[in-house]
């Protein structure tokens, strides 16, 4: 080989090497998940004009805005378990809250997102509220959570949270990463009532309340807030919403700090950002319910590689069950092959990345399930939302619907209770009896009945829709190994001699006529 040929060969080799290096650098991908706590649609991206959220608005302008985003369960720990496993709570075993005497936790065999990614050499971190168990299932490489630090500091103090985000992003580690930041705002503040109903006084500079250096508190007048239809227009309710807005604005300022840290660390151009919440807002009619306002969530997905769709609204349905398959797709990591109780585990969610390229009109169905919140709140529900219709199966319909403690103690709920007891008008959209006692099956057309008051199950014109959705909901329960798949009329039998031919055994427990 002559000199010229050698030089040409070396030049081509160097070019190919550099191409591979630059390509690998360009394809290095990261994920930031930001999770709000008991948050709804109080921002301009979802048409609230009062609550000031400039940083969420900016994120929305760099995102696909899913108008129909949903949680898979409207309860804190079960929702987080679904977000981190891609499995509905009835499948992963995290039926209720993790803390104190509630003591629920996922099955030991479940494979969570941080564990899956660690096996793919992807660095993982969690900052803020964790609230899932056991630790072995939900193990992150970097953990700065309420399990080891005060909740107020790691999940509401946005300056401290910013410092932890900085610490994680600036370690000497070249691996791609997943960082999961979970606020405690704007959850109610039942553990620290001296700081206000929503901890809105925490860090505001008043005597005994501490200082959050990066927070500029925004205060709202009760007469200015926007009340959703399911919250009565009374002074008590308006006052609570105003306080909630203050903590939402604190969360929003925290999001701005985190996004700035991401940019300063040099990761803005290769990081997928997902923002959503665990469940509906902590008011009667929302949180722990699977009606639209309990199940619906803000859902923003921002990709630096899909700028042509930034700021676009999508009518495609998105679910918290879609987060795991989306992250795995982003990293090009396969879901592991494993079983729970001898049944192969499959994800029932989908990757949302195709919606970042173009609209997905066929994404018109999501499912949800609920069993507990607190240990005393047994009220299993199975839900299918298909296009404009929502079908709810209330398995424990003969019992009154239970109320979460933080909602029961709220000024809003006490206002309803006091007015009801005094035989006064509550201003609420339902009576207490209508709220507590529900039909076994509920079918609503939310396009014509957004308040979900007209149950169409007995309507002959909707019989075909009801039967079709009922069949599909049952199929989803079987596909996800739902232990409640035969409830409430029967019990699923699959043990011993029935293991090869399981069936629903009738208990002949229909209500007496």
């Amino acid at each position: 080989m002559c000199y010229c040929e050698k030089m040409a060969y070396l030049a081509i080799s160097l070019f190919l090497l550099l191409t591979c290096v630059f390509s690998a650098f360009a394809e290095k991908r990261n994920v930031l998940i930001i999770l709000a706590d008991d948050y709804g649609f109080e921002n301009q991206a979802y048409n609230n004009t009062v609550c000031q959220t400039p940083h969420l608005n900016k994120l929305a302008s760099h995102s696909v805005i899913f108008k129909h985003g949903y949680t898979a369960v409207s309860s804190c720990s079960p929702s987080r378990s679904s977000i981190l496993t891609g499995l509905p709570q009835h499948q992963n075993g995290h039926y209720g809250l993790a803390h104190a005497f509630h003591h629920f936790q996922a099955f030991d065999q479940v494979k969570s997102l941080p564990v899956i990614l660690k096996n793919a050499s992807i660095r993982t971190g969690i900052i803020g509220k964790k609230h899932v168990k056991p630790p072995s299932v939900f193990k992150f490489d970097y953990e700065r959570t309420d399990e080891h630090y005060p909740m107020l500091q790691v999940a509401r103090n946005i300056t401290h949270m910013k410092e932890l985000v900085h610490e994680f992003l600036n370690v000497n580690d070249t691996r791609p990463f997943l960082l999961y930041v979970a606020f405690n705002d704007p959850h109610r503040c039942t553990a620290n009532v001296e700081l206000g109903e929503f901890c809105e006084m925490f860090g505001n500079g008043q005597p005994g309340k501490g200082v959050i250096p990066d927070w500029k508190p925004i205060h709202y007048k009760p007469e200015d807030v926007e009340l959703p239809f399911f919250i009565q227009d009374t002074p008590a309710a308006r006052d609570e919403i105003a306080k909630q807005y203050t903590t939402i604005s604190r969360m929003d300022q925290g999001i701005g700090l985190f996004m700035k840290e991401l940019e300063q660390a040099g990761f803005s151009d290769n990081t997928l950002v997902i923002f959503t919440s665990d469940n509906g807002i902590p008011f009667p009619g929302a949180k722990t319910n699977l009606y639209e306002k309990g199940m619906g969530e803000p859902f923003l997905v921002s990709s630096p590689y899909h700028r042509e769709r930034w700021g676009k609204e999508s009518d495609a349905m998105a679910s918290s069950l879609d987060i795991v398959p989306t992250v795995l797709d982003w990293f090009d990591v396969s879901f592991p092959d494993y079983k729970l109780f001898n049944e192969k585990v499959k994800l029932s969610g989908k990757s949302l990345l195709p919606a970042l390229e173009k609209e997905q009109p066929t994404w018109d169905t999501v499912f949800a399930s609920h069993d507990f919140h607190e240990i005393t709140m047994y009220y299993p529900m199975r839900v299918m939302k298909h296009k404009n219709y929502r079908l709810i199966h209330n398995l424990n319909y003969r019992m009154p619907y239970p109320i979460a403690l933080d909602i029961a103690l709220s000024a809003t709920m006490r206002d309803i209770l006091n007015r009801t007891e005094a035989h006064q008008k509550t201003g609420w959209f339902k009576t207490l009896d209508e709220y507590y006692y529900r039909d076994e099956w509920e079918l609503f057309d939310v396009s014509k009945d957004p308040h979900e008051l007209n149950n169409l199950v007995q309507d002959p014109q909707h019989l075909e829709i009801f039967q079709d959705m009922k069949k599909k909901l049952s199929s989803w329960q079987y596909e996800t190994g739902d232990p409640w798949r035969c409830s409430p009329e029967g019990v699923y039998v699959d043990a011993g001699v029935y293991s090869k031919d399981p069936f629903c055994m009738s208990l002949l427990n229909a209500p007496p006529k």
Side-chain angles (χ1 to χ4, degrees), residues 20 27 81 89 105 126 167 225 289 350 505:
C20 291
E27 286 299 316
S81 75
Q89 54 83 31
Q105 62 181 17
I126 179 172
E167 180 180 69
V225 302
N289 284 275
K350 61 191 175 296
M505 177 181 173

Side-chain angles (χ1 to χ4, degrees), residues 7-22:
M7 292 303 294
Y9 176 78
L10 289 173
I12 293 172
S13 299
L14 180 60
F15 173 77
L16 293 174
L17 177 62
L18 290 173
T19 298
C20 291
V21 170
F22 287 129

